[in-house]
Amino acid sequence: MTIQQLIEAKLTAALSPTVLEVINESHMHRVEPGSESHFKVVIVSEQFAGQRLLARHRQVNAVLAGAVHALALHTYTESEWQDKGHAPRTPSCVGKPSLS
């Protein structure tokens, strides 16, 4: 199982998301080709209702328990996602163009 698949499985089991995007952004950093070290996670779950952003991030980090080196989290409730409709674009890192 890849790290990406592990992240997807753990978050699906723990948070029952209605939207889950796990994007490997390792290629945007100075790592070996094929690395799985940097991920962007967009997750929509009603379990986030009533929680502040920090609590949501702590919940996701607890579920993943150090499974990944770097994690960009974008956490939403269903109504927040309806209003927003997309996650912010990832900024470029180490002079490489942003692709997601």
Side-chain angles (χ1 to χ4, degrees), residues 27-30 91-98:
H27 65 280
M28 298 169 60
H29 302 272
R30 291 186 182 175
S92 295
C93 183
V94 297
K96 294 188 178 186
S98 179

Side-chain angles (χ1 to χ4, degrees), residues 24-65:
N24 184 349
E25 296 185 331
S26 301
H27 65 280
M28 298 169 60
H29 302 272
R30 291 186 182 175
V31 296
E32 296 293 320
S35 291
E36 287 189 287
S37 58
H38 295 72
F39 289 89
K40 175 179 181 175
V41 173
V42 178
I43 183 167
V44 178
S45 174
E46 280 309 308
Q47 291 191 34
F48 296 142
Q51 289 185 358
R52 292 179 183 246
L53 186 60
L54 183 59
R56 296 173 186 192
H57 287 206
R58 285 181 175 157
Q59 185 175 9
V60 170
N61 282 318
V63 169
L64 298 179

Side-chain angles (χ1 to χ4, degrees), residues 20 50 62 65 67 80-81 95:
L20 178 61
E80 291 168 341
W81 184 249

Side-chain angles (χ1 to χ4, degrees), residues 78 80 83:
E78 188 65 41
E80 291 168 341
D83 291 342

